[in-house]
Amino acid sequence: MKKLIVSLAIASAAMIAAAPASAQGWGRGNNIQQRLQRIEVRIDRNFQRGSLTRNEARRLQAETNGVQRLAWRYGRNGLTGWEHRDLERRVDRLQNRLQRQRHDDDRRGWRR
C-alpha cells in the first residue's frame, strides 16, 4: 500500500510539474497547489504511522487528486475569483476530513 500511495503522489506531482505555472493559469492558485502538496505528504506520513487506514488514505488521496484535476481545469484560462474561492473551500474541507480521519481511532493494526 505504501508503494501505491507513494506512486500516486509521485504521479500527481509529475503531472503538475509537467505543465508550467503560466499554462496552468495559477497566478493566485499557487497557494492552493502548495496546500494540496502538503496534504499529500500528511496523508502518506499518517498512513505510515498507522493513524490512517488503507481505505482512509486511498479516499483522501483520491479526493486530493480530484481537487488537483479541478484546479487544473479551472486554471486553464486563469482562475476567476469564484473558482479560487471554490478551490479554497474544497481544500479546507479536505484538510478537515484528514484531521477527523486521523483522530477517529480507526487505526491500522489497532486492537481493542
Side-chain angles (χ1 to χ4, degrees):
M1 181 60 196
K2 179 180 173 184
K3 289 180 182 180
L4 173 67
I5 291 177
V6 170
S7 63
L8 285 174
I10 290 170
S12 63
M15 287 185 342
I16 292 165
S22 61
Q24 293 174 347
W26 282 39
R28 294 186 305 183
N30 286 334
N31 182 41
I32 293 169
Q33 183 57 32
Q34 291 168 353
R35 289 177 64 194
L36 287 170
Q37 288 172 348
R38 284 193 302 266
I39 289 172
E40 285 182 336
V41 168
R42 288 177 59 204
I43 291 169
D44 187 44
R45 184 180 338 128
N46 284 288
F47 175 71
Q48 290 174 11
R49 290 179 180 168
S51 58
L52 288 176
T53 65
R54 179 177 316 226
N55 287 334
E56 289 170 342
R58 263 192 211 143
R59 281 191 300 268
L60 289 166
Q61 185 61 49
E63 188 174 346
T64 302
N65 292 340
V67 173
Q68 286 176 334
R69 282 190 304 273
L70 182 62
W72 181 82
R73 275 198 344 245
Y74 281 171
R76 285 186 299 190
N77 298 319
L79 290 175
T80 66
W82 182 90
E83 290 168 338
H84 186 262
R85 286 188 302 276
D86 181 47
L87 290 171
E88 289 285 346
R89 280 190 298 268
R90 289 172 188 264
V91 173
D92 289 342
R93 280 195 305 255
L94 181 58
Q95 283 180 317
N96 291 337
R97 194 166 293 118
L98 173 59
Q99 186 72 12
R100 281 195 316 271
Q101 292 298 321
R102 285 181 52 219
H103 297 290
D104 68 355
D105 284 337
D106 292 343
R107 302 205 185 278
R108 185 179 52 169
W110 185 72
R111 301 276 189 251
R112 287 187 195 225

